[in-house]
Amino acid sequence: IFSLSRYWFKDLNCPFVNVYPLGNNFFSEKIIENSLDDNALTVISANVFGLELQKFLLRYINQPFLKEKKIFFKLHPNQFHDKEYYESGIKLYQNIKVITNEYSVAGLLANSKMLLTIESTVVYEALQAGKKVLLLKEDNDITRHKDLASNSNVYWISDKESLSSALNSNIIISPVEFFSPFNEQV
């Protein structure tokens, strides 16, 4: 099995299988900071989580800790046709911008300090780039991304207090490597 780094198979028992951390130059590239707003938040949506993420944001958008924050609400490609629907739900809030393919995920991470989602592989990209990750607990379920339970830059949020605390916390330098550079020797 070829993998993106040693991380993905560190806790997996595959007897009689060789795992080779081959790496990948696309995901391992360092994200160059390009932030126009040091406190920007990127929300990574998906068709099964989009409405819940939007509802959660709008519940607290008028709170001081979120009201002035620049927010990029990135739709999954299978949601691009719903852009107008999401824009109509947030049209009263100038600080939220709905994104389809105007920016890449790497571009959004370069312009953000933190990420909010429920479940996404972008979580690992954000952590490797030194960003804070806020995971919205769905029905108090934290089994998604449970491999990140001990990561100090991951926050499970469910209410105003946990959201405020996560947004105001400091990023802790964490040398976890989810994506290694391509290793042609492997």
Side-chain angles (χ1 to χ4, degrees), residues 2-10 19-24 128 177-181:
F2 293 111
S3 71
L4 296 170
S5 74
R6 293 190 185 284
Y7 176 84
W8 302 104
F9 288 91
K10 67 180 176 52
V19 177
Y20 300 96
L22 185 63
N24 177 296
Q128 185 155 323
E177 185 177 59
F178 301 106
F179 309 104
S180 300

Coordinates of all heavy atoms in Angstrom, one line a residue, residues 2-10 19-24 128 177-181:
F2 N 0.7 2.1 -0.9 CA 1.4 3.4 -0.9 C 0.5 4.4 -0.2 O -0.7 4.4 -0.3 CB 1.6 3.9 -2.4 CG 2.5 3.0 -3.1 CD1 2.1 2.2 -4.2 CD2 3.9 3.0 -2.8 CE1 2.9 1.4 -4.9 CE2 4.8 2.2 -3.5 CZ 4.3 1.4 -4.6
S3 N 1.1 5.2 0.7 CA 0.4 6.2 1.4 C 1.0 7.6 1.3 O 2.1 7.8 0.8 CB 0.3 5.8 2.9 OG 1.6 5.9 3.5
L4 N 0.2 8.6 1.8 CA 0.7 10.0 1.7 C 1.7 10.3 2.7 O 2.4 11.3 2.6 CB -0.5 10.9 1.9 CG -1.6 10.8 0.8 CD1 -2.9 11.5 1.1 CD2 -1.0 11.3 -0.6
S5 N 1.8 9.5 3.8 CA 2.8 9.7 4.9 C 2.7 8.5 5.8 O 1.8 7.7 5.7 CB 2.7 11.0 5.6 OG 1.6 11.0 6.5
R6 N 3.6 8.5 6.8 CA 3.5 7.4 7.8 C 2.3 7.5 8.7 O 1.8 6.5 9.2 CB 4.8 7.4 8.7 CG 6.0 7.0 7.9 CD 7.2 6.8 8.9 NE 8.4 6.6 8.2 CZ 8.7 5.5 7.6 NH1 7.9 4.4 7.7 NH2 9.9 5.3 7.0
Y7 N 1.8 8.7 8.8 CA 0.6 9.0 9.7 C -0.5 8.0 9.4 O -1.2 7.5 10.4 CB 0.2 10.4 9.6 CG -1.0 10.7 10.4 CD1 -0.9 11.0 11.7 CD2 -2.3 10.7 9.8 CE1 -2.0 11.3 12.5 CE2 -3.4 10.9 10.6 CZ -3.3 11.2 12.0 OH -4.4 11.4 12.7
W8 N -0.9 7.8 8.2 CA -2.1 7.1 7.8 C -2.2 5.7 8.2 O -3.2 5.1 8.3 CB -2.4 7.3 6.3 CG -2.5 8.8 6.0 CD1 -1.5 9.5 5.4 CD2 -3.5 9.7 6.4 NE1 -1.9 10.8 5.3 CE2 -3.2 10.9 5.9 CE3 -4.8 9.5 7.0 CZ2 -4.0 12.1 6.1 CZ3 -5.6 10.6 7.2 CH2 -5.2 11.9 6.8
F9 N -1.0 5.1 8.5 CA -1.0 3.7 8.8 C -0.3 3.4 10.1 O 0.0 2.3 10.5 CB -0.3 2.9 7.7 CG -1.2 2.8 6.5 CD1 -1.1 3.7 5.5 CD2 -2.1 1.8 6.4 CE1 -1.9 3.6 4.3 CE2 -3.0 1.7 5.3 CZ -2.9 2.6 4.2
K10 N -0.1 4.4 10.9 CA 0.6 4.2 12.2 C -0.2 3.4 13.2 O 0.3 2.7 14.0 CB 1.0 5.6 12.8 CG -0.2 6.4 13.3 CD 0.3 7.8 13.9 CE -0.9 8.7 14.2 NZ -1.9 8.2 15.1
V19 N 3.5 -1.3 3.8 CA 3.0 0.1 3.6 C 4.2 0.9 3.3 O 5.2 0.9 4.0 CB 2.3 0.6 4.9 CG1 1.9 2.0 4.7 CG2 1.1 -0.3 5.2
Y20 N 4.1 1.7 2.2 CA 5.2 2.5 1.7 C 4.7 4.0 1.7 O 3.8 4.3 1.0 CB 5.6 2.1 0.3 CG 6.1 0.7 0.2 CD1 5.3 -0.3 -0.2 CD2 7.5 0.4 0.5 CE1 5.7 -1.6 -0.3 CE2 7.9 -0.9 0.4 CZ 7.0 -1.9 0.0 OH 7.5 -3.2 -0.1
P21 N 5.4 4.8 2.6 CA 5.0 6.2 2.6 C 5.6 7.0 1.4 O 6.6 7.5 1.4 CB 5.6 6.7 3.9 CG 6.7 5.8 4.2 CD 6.4 4.5 3.6
L22 N 4.9 6.9 0.3 CA 5.3 7.4 -1.0 C 5.3 9.0 -1.0 O 6.1 9.6 -1.6 CB 4.4 6.9 -2.1 CG 4.8 7.2 -3.5 CD1 6.2 6.6 -3.9 CD2 3.7 6.7 -4.5
G23 N 4.3 9.6 -0.3 CA 4.2 11.0 -0.3 C 3.4 11.5 -1.5 O 3.0 10.8 -2.4
N24 N 3.3 12.9 -1.6 CA 2.6 13.5 -2.7 C 3.0 15.0 -2.7 O 2.8 15.7 -1.7 CB 1.1 13.4 -2.4 CG 0.2 14.1 -3.4 OD1 0.3 15.3 -3.5 ND2 -0.6 13.3 -4.1
Q128 N -1.7 20.7 8.9 CA -0.4 20.7 8.4 C 0.1 22.1 8.1 O 1.3 22.4 8.2 CB -0.2 19.8 7.2 CG 1.3 19.7 6.8 CD 1.6 18.4 6.0 OE1 1.1 17.3 6.4 NE2 2.5 18.5 5.1
E177 N 2.9 15.5 10.4 CA 3.0 15.5 9.0 C 2.0 14.5 8.4 O 2.2 13.3 8.5 CB 4.4 15.1 8.5 CG 4.6 15.2 7.0 CD 6.1 14.9 6.6 OE1 6.5 13.8 6.9 OE2 6.7 15.8 6.0
F178 N 0.9 15.0 7.9 CA -0.1 14.2 7.2 C 0.3 13.9 5.8 O -0.1 12.9 5.2 CB -1.4 14.9 7.3 CG -1.9 15.2 8.7 CD1 -1.9 16.5 9.1 CD2 -2.3 14.2 9.5 CE1 -2.3 16.8 10.4 CE2 -2.8 14.5 10.8 CZ -2.8 15.8 11.3
F179 N 1.0 14.8 5.2 CA 1.3 14.7 3.7 C 2.8 14.9 3.6 O 3.3 16.0 3.8 CB 0.6 15.7 2.9 CG -0.9 15.7 3.2 CD1 -1.5 16.6 3.9 CD2 -1.7 14.6 2.7 CE1 -2.9 16.6 4.2 CE2 -3.1 14.6 2.9 CZ -3.7 15.6 3.7
S180 N 3.6 13.9 3.3 CA 5.0 14.0 3.0 C 5.3 14.4 1.6 O 4.5 14.0 0.7 CB 5.7 12.6 3.3 OG 5.5 12.2 4.6
P181 N 6.4 15.0 1.3 CA 6.8 15.2 -0.1 C 7.0 13.9 -0.8 O 7.3 12.9 -0.1 CB 8.1 16.0 0.0 CG 8.2 16.5 1.4 CD 7.4 15.6 2.3

